[in-house]
Amino acid sequence: THAVLGLGAVSLPAGSRASVQTALRTLLTAPWPSQRDVRSWLQLLAVLQWVLSFLLLGTVSLLLLIYLVFTSFWPISALYLAWIIFDWDTPEKGGRRLPCLRRWPVWRHFRDYFPVKLVKTHDLSPSHNYIIGSHPHGILCVGAFCNFITGSTGFGELFPGIRPFLTTLAGNFRLPVFREYLMSGGLCPVTRRAIGYLLSKNGTGNAVAIVIGGAAESLSCRPGITTLILKNRKGFVRMALQHGAYLVPSFSFGENDLFRQVVFEEGSWMRSIQQRFQKMMGFAPCVFYGRGLMSVQSRGFLPYARPITTVVGEPVMVPKIEEPSCETVDMYHEMYIRSLLKLFNENKTKYGLSEADEMHIL
């Protein structure tokens, strides 16, 4: 009896065996993903994690820590709060960059999704400090992040001896966990204290990238239109003069093509709401969309795969003047704008624009 039961446990009817063999043959003959498909998936996942990190990491971390307060894990929230109080000034003092995060392999897939490219036109000497003006803002500053925060486009090889930093809203460094993520990559608050520290107390060879147009410029972001908010933005020039930092223009061609935005006309009530929100909160609530996760044809929050080429221009040499006059600030501001216009006009036809395209400065 035991022998019969044993045989019955392992044997299969002829029909079942045929079904299993057919399934195995189908599996073996099915087309496996090609290397190109695998690369595309990795690139999409790399962009997805970046978008989710910037949109959700800070908020989710804050809500989680608040939730833990009401559980038996409340010491975690208490200890982290104590850590933030102890570490409060670190973002204003150069941050806490981790070279290993900048070399994270995922950034290569992130770069290749668009792809993003960095172009050097002039050398930057490690014996000086620099303020790099990054234009345009776009929706999420993809070009600035990829080139100045990750090492995927070869900034360190193109500009040896130069340490790049990127500035962002100071409020981001008040969000738990997100602040650690930002500092590890080399981001710092866009405040006079933080920028002044990097330009005066961190030695030489520092390049602080500032997206000068800021949130206001993102409201005018749309494909085919190059509008910069720059005419009355002179604080970065004053800081450059006070610290003797050279001014370097940079332009990311293709930045405005990554998303589609609903642009409300000046004077409309929706535009008024956006501008008031931007003044109160520091960022503008844009109505935009990109591609979906599963299909390019669907709509979602991921950027479209459009080439981005960031061209770094010629430095404008700036003297050190502790108390520069308004006239001096205006003079170097005009010099910077002329250098930026030259950079734009010399490169626009190389990277996707036509000869007739112009840059509008507001």
Side-chain angles (χ1 to χ4, degrees):
T1 303
H2 293 293
V4 173
L5 290 174
L7 288 173
V10 298
S11 63
L12 290 173
S16 298
R17 286 199 300 272
S19 299
V20 171
Q21 291 172 353
T22 302
L24 289 173
R25 282 197 296 269
T26 303
L27 180 64
L28 294 173
T29 57
W32 287 84
S34 65
Q35 289 186 351
R36 181 178 180 180
D37 292 334
V38 173
R39 283 197 301 268
S40 297
W41 295 340
L42 290 174
Q43 291 166 11
L44 191 62
L45 290 174
V47 174
L48 176 64
Q49 66 82 26
W50 178 78
V51 172
L52 291 179
S53 295
F54 269 82
L55 295 182
L56 299 177
L57 181 59
T59 303
V60 171
S61 299
L62 178 61
L63 294 176
L64 178 60
L65 287 174
I66 293 174
Y67 169 75
L68 292 178
V69 169
F70 302 98
T71 70
S72 58
F73 296 100
W74 64 266
I76 295 177
S77 297
L79 288 172
Y80 190 79
L81 177 60
W83 164 251
I84 286 185
I85 294 172
F86 173 79
D87 198 52
W88 190 259
D89 288 335
T90 299
E92 304 275 356
K93 296 180 178 180
R96 189 169 41 247
R97 67 165 57 203
L98 298 177
C100 60
L101 187 139
R102 293 172 60 88
R103 296 193 298 265
W104 200 17
V106 73
W107 300 131
R108 294 198 297 270
H109 300 299
F110 179 87
R111 171 200 64 195
D112 294 339
Y113 170 84
F114 298 96
V116 182
K117 182 181 178 183
L118 180 64
V119 175
K120 167 186 171 181
T121 61
H122 292 78
D123 291 330
L124 299 182
S125 171
S127 60
H128 297 287
N129 285 325
Y130 304 89
I131 290 180
I132 300 178
S134 179
H135 310 273
H137 183 284
I139 297 294
L140 294 178
C141 304
V142 172
F145 177 87
C146 191
N147 288 298
F148 301 129
I149 294 303
T150 81
S152 62
T153 57
F155 185 96
E157 290 73 28
L158 290 173
F159 301 102
I162 303 297
R163 294 182 297 275
F165 297 85
L166 179 62
T167 58
T168 185
L169 294 174
N172 289 330
F173 294 89
R174 305 297 178 248
L175 294 172
V177 182
F178 190 46
R179 69 190 294 274
E180 323 299 339
Y181 177 75
L182 295 177
M183 285 192 291
S184 64
L187 282 107
C188 63
V190 61
T191 61
R192 296 181 65 85
R193 182 185 176 192
I195 297 171
Y197 180 92
L198 293 173
L199 297 179
S200 62
K201 298 180 181 179
N202 201 43
T204 59
N206 301 293
V208 183
I210 304 175
V211 186
I212 296 168
E217 191 172 279
S218 67
L219 296 178
S220 302
C221 167
R222 48 182 160 173
I225 304 295
T226 305
T227 301
L228 304 184
I229 306 297
L230 180 59
K231 188 175 293 185
N232 296 317
R233 300 288 175 98
K234 300 179 182 180
F236 73 102
V237 178
R238 183 175 295 276
M239 289 207 69
L241 286 163
Q242 291 173 339
H243 298 285
Y246 290 5
L247 290 167
V248 183
S250 72
F251 194 92
S252 293
F253 294 91
E255 183 72 46
N256 285 346
D257 299 329
L258 304 182
F259 294 94
R260 300 290 182 266
Q261 182 179 182
V262 179
V263 178
F264 301 101
E265 297 298 327
E266 288 289 344
S268 66
W269 66 275
M270 279 298 298
R271 185 72 165 203
S272 176
I273 291 175
Q274 287 179 314
Q275 291 172 340
R276 289 178 183 177
F277 192 93
Q278 182 257 319
K279 288 179 180 179
M280 290 189 298
M281 304 300 295
F283 64 94
C286 301
V287 182
F288 67 92
Y289 65 89
R291 60 156 292 178
L293 180 61
M294 305 306 297
S295 169
V296 178
Q297 286 71 35
S298 62
R299 292 187 180 184
F301 56 88
L302 295 179
Y304 291 107
R306 303 285 187 269
I308 303 173
T309 303
T310 301
V311 184
V312 179
E314 181 178 4
V316 176
M317 292 185 289
V318 175
K320 184 175 182 179
I321 305 175
E322 291 187 4
E323 296 293 335
S325 65
C326 293
E327 292 76 14
T328 302
V329 172
D330 290 342
M331 181 180 71
Y332 281 96
H333 186 260
E334 286 297 323
M335 291 172 62
Y336 176 83
I337 290 178
R338 287 198 299 269
S339 182
L340 176 61
L341 286 170
K342 178 184 176 184
L343 175 72
F344 177 80
N345 290 322
E346 287 181 350
N347 292 278
K348 61 183 179 181
T349 56
K350 299 178 185 177
Y351 305 115
L353 301 181
S354 68
E355 190 64 43
D357 286 317
E358 297 180 351
M359 177 191 294
H360 304 284
I361 297 179
L362 302 179

